[in-house]
Amino acid sequence: MNSSTKETLAFETEVNQLLKLMIHSLYSNKEIFLRELISNASDACDKLRFEALGDDALFEGDNELAVDVEFDKDAGTLTVRDNGIGMSREEVIHNIGTIAKSGTREFFEQLTGDQAKDAKLIGQFGVGFYSAFIVADHVVLTTRHAGMGPEHGVRWESDGTGSYTLETLDVPARGTEIVLHLREDERDDLLNDWRLRNIITKYSDHVPLPIRMHKRDEEGNLGDEWETVNKASALWQRPKSEITDEEYKTFYKHISHDFGDPLGWTHNRVEGRLEYTSLLYVPEKAPFDLWDRDHAHGLKLYVQRVFIMDDAEQLIPRYLRFVRGVIDSNDLPLNISREILQGNRIIEQIRAGSVKKLLGMLEQMAEKRPEDYQKFWDEFGRVMKEGPAEDFSNRETIAGLLRFASTHEDTEAQTVSLKDYVSRMKEGQDKIYYITADSFMAAKHSPHLELLRKKGIEVLLMYDRVDEWLMGHLNEFDGKQFQSVAKGDLDLGEVESEDERKAQEEAENEAKELVTRVGEALGDRVESVRVSHRLTSSPACIVLGEHDMALYMQQLLKQAGHEMPTSKPVLEINPSHPMVARLDSESDENRFKEWSMLLLDQAILAEGGQLEDPASFVGRLNQLMLALSE
């Protein structure tokens, strides 16, 4: 392709939708377009500096990196230019013609039509370059990747209404230039030296790279000489006492491309044998790619204020992958790679120190700003539940940050901490009781809770899929053991009186014959049959072994193609229930067997399991209904 040939390409449908949404939803905060373009330009310069560590020729004799902003009143244009890494033709198509993000469909499904709410969602999603169309009706981007010949330059043009043109042409200098042809009604406001300097100072003062504009001469006219508008110093290297909350929030938006403020941050300088600075943020909203395991989630790594890499996942454990921020180390080599980061002793120390600071910040938020912490938990709780399995050394701290639903409130909201639970434990109670299920309603109405509800013993209701995994790695809290009310023997400890234990023994003795008959009828479908200690109003329930996986999880894993070890449940029956009493009086052995099977099937369904032979269950149920109607 030569410079005289233009190719017209259509935007992806999602890009089209996003452009329309942005022009309308973000208009009230239109000046953020300049922040986004400068942020992208800064990233491009950072990437060149990193790439040039291994190949100095990429600088092409120009290693003074900067972002230039200028305007032309006569032409009605505003230009943002950088001498960073630049883009190839393929990168232009990938980065600008496409939204290569997971969660795109979910993003559009969440849009409401309410401009204020949609603006927040758009900010969460991150839009960068497209924000230019908030104020421009035509955008021209010219770019060349560093290290490629001038003939590999690319020009991209669009009016933001469905398509764009691509043209290959000679571009002498590396980097990217974006020319915005402003809408008529934006020109008086934005083609103004004072206004642009004000926006740069407001949103991009902290960018550790010179942002330049033309300097005014003694007569007040703009000349050809450039001057730096921003402080151009790394914010994280400044003393905390000199940084305002507003500056911290602005810097967060710069590194995260989030439009919202963070929920909290922690800024620390470590000195001594190991020297590094960390500035870490907890977002208010979960990013759309939080559950994309193929996407790298990490922090920006700097070495001696030189940008090294984005998304350095080695600096933060997976359960804290929502954290955004920077780490600047004085002890790592400038040419460090992702491979060297793996298992690096210095990185491990930085990671351990950063995790402690983050968890400490969350503990403080939970104690002093409980409403904000609840917002955090609603967004990131399921991710935090991965922590005890992943981070053994901080297990107790993470456990203290967990929140659950419980029978104390009996609502779906996960607001109960383990500390809350322990403070409400009954006299003589020495265990933390919980149940896992595939939904809140299944947990709330589980027959396993009947005795505990009757005694007023609180039970944690766990219904997130990660909960079964979590409880496999969380054994105790504050010296109290966890016990599933649906697995193993139910031990109520000192909460149960001697009289109640004797009554249980008597019930077991009286029902011995019935238990034997039901066990023989069910054969190898169950491990055993016994009189229940947990039921007060249901006829039966199944109980798994202490180390068995919940039935609903077994089912999920089977559906995903995993081989599951075969384990048989224990069937517990309630002899005082009319249905079980009726079964006990049944003399017809065939009917007794059918009804015993029905009792087991009901118990399996109540636990979220699936029947191997649903048709037989329906047949037995029909027989029972007909018998009762006679």
Side-chain angles (χ1 to χ4, degrees):
M1 185 183 293
N2 57 48
S3 60
S4 62
T5 305
K6 277 190 179 180
E7 185 179 6
T8 301
L9 300 167
F11 280 124
E12 278 192 333
T13 307
E14 290 88 348
V15 176
N16 247 336
Q17 288 178 266
L18 192 58
L19 288 171
K20 289 174 186 172
L21 280 165
M22 278 208 313
I23 292 165
H24 297 102
S25 297
L26 299 183
Y27 189 78
S28 60
N29 191 23
K30 63 185 179 183
E31 59 192 26
I32 57 94
F33 82 91
L34 190 55
R35 179 192 80 189
E36 291 297 295
L37 295 182
I38 288 174
S39 184
N40 286 348
S42 169
D43 287 348
C45 291
D46 278 343
K47 284 169 185 170
L48 174 64
R49 188 180 284 150
F50 172 62
E51 294 288 337
L53 290 172
D55 183 5
D56 192 59
L58 291 173
F59 278 130
E60 300 177 10
D62 174 21
N63 58 4
E64 295 295 322
L65 301 176
V67 180
D68 293 337
V69 178
E70 61 180 329
F71 63 93
D72 184 334
K73 278 193 173 183
D74 294 334
T77 60
L78 174 63
T79 301
V80 178
R81 185 185 304 109
D82 69 72
N83 59 346
I85 193 74
M87 289 182 281
S88 65
R89 185 178 183 278
E90 290 71 26
E91 287 171 329
V92 170
I93 294 172
H94 178 74
N95 294 335
I96 298 177
T98 305
I99 298 181
K101 289 197 176 204
S102 63
T104 305
R105 183 178 300 162
E106 292 85 345
F107 164 68
F108 285 110
E109 284 174 357
Q110 288 190 43
L111 295 168
T112 61
D114 181 316
Q115 288 187 14
K117 290 179 182 175
D118 287 351
K120 285 186 180 178
L121 281 169
I122 293 167
Q124 238 179 294
F125 190 68
V127 289
F129 170 78
Y130 298 115
S131 59
F133 287 101
I134 300 171
V135 295
D137 52 19
H138 188 78
V139 177
V140 181
L141 177 147
T142 307
T143 186
R144 175 172 68 78
H145 198 286
M148 298 177 83
E151 69 278 8
H152 291 286
V154 181
R155 177 173 291 156
W156 178 100
E157 283 188 67
S158 179
D159 58 7
T161 58
S163 64
Y164 60 91
T165 63
L166 268 187
E167 180 180 6
T168 301
L169 71 167
D170 285 349
V171 176
R174 65 153 200 273
T176 300
E177 176 187 86
I178 301 171
V179 180
L180 280 67
H181 294 261
L182 299 180
R183 302 177 196 280
E184 287 282 352
D185 56 349
E186 298 295 345
R187 294 181 182 182
D188 288 343
D189 179 30
L190 293 172
L191 300 180
N192 176 306
D193 182 57
W194 178 86
R195 173 79 163 117
L196 291 173
R197 286 169 183 264
N198 183 265
I199 294 173
I200 291 168
T201 304
K202 180 178 178 182
Y203 291 110
S204 306
D205 205 38
H206 54 272
V207 173
L209 192 78
I211 302 170
R212 308 184 307 186
M213 290 187 67
H214 286 297
K215 192 175 183 180
R216 289 190 179 278
D217 60 24
E218 292 177 359
E219 285 80 40
N221 298 315
L222 291 173
D224 294 331
E225 190 180 343
W226 295 95
E227 69 173 341
T228 299
V229 179
N230 64 325
K231 286 191 179 123
S233 63
L235 177 127
W236 62 87
Q237 291 293 348
R238 288 163 51 193
K240 286 193 277 188
S241 58
E242 294 179 9
I243 308 172
T244 66
D245 284 358
E246 201 53 47
E247 286 178 309
Y248 274 123
K249 291 174 184 177
T250 303
F251 182 68
Y252 164 74
K253 291 170 185 174
H254 165 70
I255 59 169
S256 67
H257 295 281
D258 189 349
F259 286 17
D261 290 333
L263 264 181
W265 60 86
T266 175
H267 184 188
N268 304 282
R269 186 190 297 271
V270 176
E271 295 174 329
R273 288 172 55 196
L274 186 66
E275 291 190 9
Y276 67 92
T277 300
S278 65
L279 175 51
L280 309 175
Y281 293 90
V282 171
E284 188 176 42
K285 289 285 184 182
F288 280 86
D289 55 5
L290 184 66
W291 300 102
D292 180 5
R293 298 198 67 85
D294 294 328
H295 179 74
H297 297 85
L299 306 175
K300 286 179 179 284
L301 174 63
Y302 288 76
V303 174
Q304 298 165 34
R305 288 174 294 287
V306 175
F307 172 80
I308 301 299
M309 68 184 72
D310 267 321
D311 298 325
E313 64 270 21
Q314 295 90 341
L315 291 165
I316 206 82
R318 288 283 304 166
Y319 74 94
L320 293 173
R321 58 185 176 273
F322 51 84
V323 173
R324 296 290 176 263
V326 299
I327 301 279
D328 192 344
S329 168
N330 288 338
D331 299 293
L332 290 166
L334 279 168
N335 62 349
I336 195 161
S337 67
R338 289 188 186 274
E339 289 72 33
I340 299 172
L341 282 179
Q342 199 70 42
N344 183 286
R345 183 181 56 81
I346 294 171
I347 288 294
E348 287 173 1
Q349 288 178 275
I350 292 174
R351 173 180 164 129
S354 299
V355 168
K356 286 197 182 299
K357 289 293 183 184
L358 278 163
L359 295 180
M361 182 192 76
L362 290 172
E363 283 182 315
Q364 198 170 38
M365 187 191 297
E367 182 183 344
K368 297 182 177 177
R369 295 155 50 205
E371 288 184 7
D372 281 345
Y373 188 77
Q374 193 58 48
K375 284 183 192 173
F376 161 78
W377 184 261
D378 291 342
E379 290 292 320
F380 303 108
R382 283 186 297 156
V383 187
M384 286 294 292
K385 286 178 178 180
E386 297 172 12
E390 186 180 345
D391 189 355
F392 183 83
S393 61
N394 291 301
R395 188 175 297 184
E396 189 76 10
T397 305
I398 299 167
L401 291 167
L402 301 176
R403 297 293 183 268
F404 303 98
S406 91
T407 54
H408 180 72
E409 299 288 345
D410 249 2
T411 67
E412 197 168 351
Q414 296 184 11
T415 58
V416 176
S417 70
L418 295 176
K419 186 179 176 182
D420 293 336
Y421 181 98
V422 170
S423 71
R424 293 193 289 260
M425 284 172 64
K426 292 283 183 185
E427 188 177 345
Q429 182 183 344
D430 61 353
K431 289 186 172 60
I432 298 172
Y433 297 103
Y434 72 93
I435 187 167
T436 58
D438 62 346
S439 70
F440 169 71
M441 295 307 287
K444 179 180 176 177
H445 295 130
S446 172
H448 293 100
L449 303 182
E450 291 173 4
L451 178 63
L452 293 110
R453 282 189 183 278
K454 184 178 178 182
K455 286 185 166 292
I457 298 173
E458 186 174 359
V459 181
L460 298 174
L461 306 175
M462 302 186 184
Y463 54 88
D464 288 332
R465 286 186 179 178
V466 70
D467 286 330
E468 188 77 12
W469 167 257
L470 164 69
M471 297 315 295
H473 296 86
L474 198 59
N475 303 316
E476 64 172 31
F477 176 78
D478 195 24
K480 310 289 190 298
Q481 294 285 320
F482 286 93
Q483 183 178 339
S484 169
V485 300
K487 296 179 183 180
D489 293 325
L490 183 62
D491 178 12
L492 296 182
E494 298 301 314
V495 178
E496 196 169 36
S497 68
E498 192 59 39
D499 288 344
E500 287 172 321
R501 288 196 187 92
K502 284 181 179 177
Q504 174 68 16
E505 286 177 18
E506 287 174 11
E508 289 172 1
N509 287 329
E510 288 174 9
K512 266 186 180 178
E513 188 180 337
L514 174 61
V515 165
T516 303
R517 284 183 73 197
V518 174
E520 290 172 351
L522 296 177
D524 60 3
R525 285 195 65 191
V526 293
E527 180 69 33
S528 63
V529 179
R530 65 189 180 205
V531 173
S532 181
H533 184 32
R534 343 171 179 242
L535 300 176
T536 60
S537 55
S538 295
C541 69
I542 60 165
V543 178
L544 301 175
E546 279 187 32
H547 304 293
D548 287 346
M549 189 179 290
L551 289 185
Y552 74 93
M553 281 300 295
Q554 291 184 32
Q555 204 60 45
L556 280 172
L557 290 171
K558 281 180 185 176
Q559 289 169 355
H562 295 280
E563 287 290 329
M564 294 302 300
T566 55
S567 60
K568 298 173 187 176
V570 172
L571 179 68
E572 289 192 351
I573 58 173
N574 176 9
S576 63
H577 192 278
M579 185 173 169
V580 178
R582 171 69 182 82
L583 179 68
D584 192 20
S585 65
E586 179 57 60
S587 56
D588 186 310
E589 286 304 317
N590 285 331
R591 188 176 289 182
F592 181 89
K593 183 175 181 178
E594 289 295 303
W595 287 8
S596 296
M597 293 283 191
L598 182 61
L599 207 59
L600 174 61
D601 289 344
Q602 283 181 326
I604 291 172
L605 289 173
E607 284 305 297
Q610 286 193 1
L611 304 179
E612 291 183 11
D613 188 359
S616 295
F617 168 73
V618 172
R620 293 183 191 109
L621 190 61
N622 289 341
Q623 284 180 21
L624 176 62
M625 291 169 68
L626 286 170
L628 291 174
S629 65
E630 290 175 359

